[in-house]
């Protein structure tokens, strides 16, 4: 029997707190019976929810605190008010001290990132963390990063993102040797910012048994699934994410309006209902909930703040899989390997 995976949860995070977080943990436990949970937050709100799920109660411990980071708090405010005593900090601190293997929060993204950097620290080879998440495509799913952890990136940071994204793809998507693409304004090698072109050259020159660099990709390649890992800096990645989410909502609204226009449209909807249900399932944002904060000396998963219990269970499952597969150790090993001077990676070692 494998060792249990211990998951520390910011039970007060997100738009709904324990009312969504606790049922989500119950769903996750049903799928992963080996999971164990540390629920950090106000026991007055947590315990009544926990009482509804006897199996979860037996697999959980409540770490009480009345301090919670608000979704509207600026990171600086959250650090002053919630450092060392908020539900968010306690979940991260459990990972730092080895009481948990992964921390999961649906709370304030900026606050979570700031606290995680201070509490868990960065890997030596990585300057800044990145948010990486699954992205539905025509071929299945890809990993896209960075989705907004930081703005701007030099060549070294882009290379680090590629390495971490490839490791995540192997663990989360089960792709043995993922393909990597750098998001650019064109596929021609002469296009794009100097930092992007330099990163492309470095990735192209290094032959890795665990990933292969395919080249530049454009915005429409993300949805096509042209590559398994799409690498970009956080400003561009966040815009791409929000644009895709907005487009999905727009298409959904157009379909609803079209299908309710008149009796013929309603009849057509009834006949095509199975197809529309399949489309809704594929576009359901809960299926891809759970972004990883990569580059930290510890596993941190960010769930959408407005998610429901099923969506939060998906984020917990990402955390479970990542911890069980030793994702942090594998990223660290890959970063160390690429920083060692060899004939294959002399250029990469020079910028490390």
């Amino acid at each position: 029997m494998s060792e249990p995976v211990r998951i520390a949860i910011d039970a007060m995070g997100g738009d709904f707190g324990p009312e969504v977080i606790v049922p989500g943990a119950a769903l996750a436990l049903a799928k992963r019976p080996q999971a164990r949970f540390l629920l950090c937050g106000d026991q007055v709100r947590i315990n009544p929810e926990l009482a509804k799920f006897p199996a979860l109660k037996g697999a959980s411990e409540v770490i009480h605190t009345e301090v919670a980071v608000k979704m509207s708090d600026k990171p600086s405010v959250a650090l002053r008010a919630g450092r060392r005593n908020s539900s968010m900090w306690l979940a991260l601190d459990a990972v730092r001290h080895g009481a948990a293997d992964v921390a999961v929060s649906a709370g304030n993204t900026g606050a979570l990132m700031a606290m995680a950097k201070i509490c868990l620290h960065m890997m030596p080879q990585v300057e800044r963390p990145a948010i990486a998440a699954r992205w539905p495509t025509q071929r299945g799913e890809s990993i896209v990063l960075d989705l907004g952890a930081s703005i701007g990136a030099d060549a070294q940071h882009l290379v680090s993102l590629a390495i971490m994204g490839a490791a995540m793809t192997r663990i989360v998507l089960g792709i043995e040797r993922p393909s990597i693409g750098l998001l650019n304004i064109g596929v021609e090698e002469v296009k794009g910012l100097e930092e992007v072109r330099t990163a492309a050259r470095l990735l192209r020159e290094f032959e890795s048994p665990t990933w292969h660099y395919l080249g530049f990709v454009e915005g429409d390649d993300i949805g096509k699934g042209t590559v398994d890992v799409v690498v970009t800096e956080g400003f561009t990645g966040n815009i791409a994410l929000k644009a895709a989410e907005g487009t999905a909502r727009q298409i959904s609204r157009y379909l609803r309006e079209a299908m309710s226009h008149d009796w013929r449209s309603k009849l057509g909807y009834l006949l095509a209902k199975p197809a529309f249900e399949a489309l809704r399932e594929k576009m359901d944002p809960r299926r891809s909930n759970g972004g990883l904060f990569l580059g930290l000396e510890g596993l941190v998963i960010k769930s959408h703040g407005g998610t429901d219990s099923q969506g939060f269970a998906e984020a917990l499952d990402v955390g479970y899989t990542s911890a069980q597969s030793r994702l942090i150790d594998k990223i660290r090993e890959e970063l160390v390997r690429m920083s060692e001077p060899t004939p294959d990676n002399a250029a990469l070692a020079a910028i490390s």
Side-chain angles (χ1 to χ4, degrees):
M1 182 179 294
S2 60
E3 291 293 321
V5 173
R6 302 160 300 168
I7 304 175
I9 300 175
D10 171 16
M12 311 308 292
D15 296 340
F16 309 106
E19 289 74 18
V20 161
I21 301 302
V22 174
L27 290 172
L29 180 64
K31 182 178 181 180
R32 306 290 189 180
Q34 287 292 99
R36 296 295 179 266
F37 302 95
L38 291 176
L39 297 169
C40 304
D42 189 349
Q43 60 186 8
V44 174
R45 291 184 61 189
I46 295 173
N47 286 339
E49 295 297 324
L50 199 56
K52 301 174 184 177
F53 305 97
L56 177 63
K57 187 175 182 180
S60 301
E61 177 185 351
V62 177
I63 308 298
H64 175 68
T65 179
E66 296 179 2
V67 181
V69 174
K70 298 178 182 178
M71 296 296 284
S72 58
D73 283 347
K74 293 182 179 179
S76 57
V77 173
L79 281 171
R80 287 196 300 269
R83 187 173 177 177
R84 304 191 186 283
N85 61 353
S86 66
S87 57
M88 182 179 288
W89 179 275
L90 292 176
L92 296 168
D93 203 43
V95 175
R96 177 172 66 168
H97 287 103
D101 302 301
V102 56
V104 183
S105 175
N108 182 316
T109 303
L112 183 63
M113 181 63 72
M115 287 189 181
K117 288 175 66 177
I118 292 173
C119 187
L120 298 176
H121 307 297
M122 300 297 302
M123 290 181 176
Q125 300 89 348
V126 183
E127 293 180 358
R128 291 170 289 167
I131 300 175
R134 295 174 293 172
W135 194 296
T137 73
Q138 294 177 22
R139 295 196 306 127
E141 286 185 317
S142 295
I143 297 296
V144 183
L145 74 167
D146 176 17
L147 293 177
S150 60
I151 295 175
D154 58 16
Q156 179 180 356
H157 186 56
L158 290 171
V159 171
S160 297
L161 293 181
I163 295 168
M164 294 189 294
M168 177 180 170
T169 304
R170 291 196 300 275
I171 298 302
V172 176
L173 301 185
I175 300 174
E176 185 174 349
R177 191 167 185 257
S179 57
I180 296 173
L182 287 172
L183 189 63
N184 202 359
I185 60 171
V187 297
E188 298 85 354
E189 293 185 7
V190 296
K191 287 190 173 181
L193 298 173
E194 181 179 353
E195 293 85 356
V196 178
R197 288 186 280 113
T198 301
R201 177 176 58 81
L202 294 170
L203 291 170
R204 190 166 52 249
E205 290 175 356
F206 184 76
E207 289 295 330
S208 172
T210 56
W211 50 264
H212 65 281
Y213 175 66
L214 197 65
F216 291 144
V217 293
E218 298 182 88
D220 60 339
D221 287 307
I222 303 177
K224 291 177 182 177
T226 303
V227 292
D228 302 310
V229 185
V230 178
V231 177
T232 185
E233 54 84 33
F235 183 84
T236 305
N238 191 261
I239 289 177
L241 175 65
K242 298 299 174 56
E245 290 176 341
T247 301
R249 286 192 294 268
Q250 181 182 5
I251 293 173
S252 178
R253 180 176 178 179
Y254 283 169
L255 284 172
R256 286 197 303 270
E257 291 175 351
M259 292 298 100
S260 60
H261 180 68
D262 53 32
W263 70 268
R264 293 184 182 86
S265 300
K266 293 177 181 178
L267 177 60
Y269 170 76
L270 290 174
L271 294 174
K273 188 175 181 180
F276 282 113
E277 290 294 333
L279 176 62
R280 183 181 294 112
E281 172 67 19
K282 192 170 184 63
M283 296 180 66
D284 189 345
R286 296 176 301 184
R287 295 178 65 249
S288 57
N289 189 32
L292 279 85
F293 284 4
L294 298 181
L296 297 164
E297 290 283 9
L299 270 175
V300 180
I301 309 297
K302 173 65 176 72
S303 166
H304 295 311
T307 192
D308 61 10
S309 57
Q310 183 179 336
F312 193 73
E314 288 292 329
L316 291 172
D317 195 62
V318 172
Y320 184 98
T321 304
S322 300
Q324 189 181 52
S325 303
R326 297 175 50 248
L327 176 61
I328 294 296
D329 292 339
K330 292 178 180 179
I331 289 176
R332 188 184 295 112
E333 292 166 3
E334 187 77 357
L335 289 169
V336 169
R337 187 176 69 84
M338 292 195 69
S339 66
E340 294 173 348
T342 67
D344 285 334
N345 69 344
L348 284 171
I351 68 168
S352 300

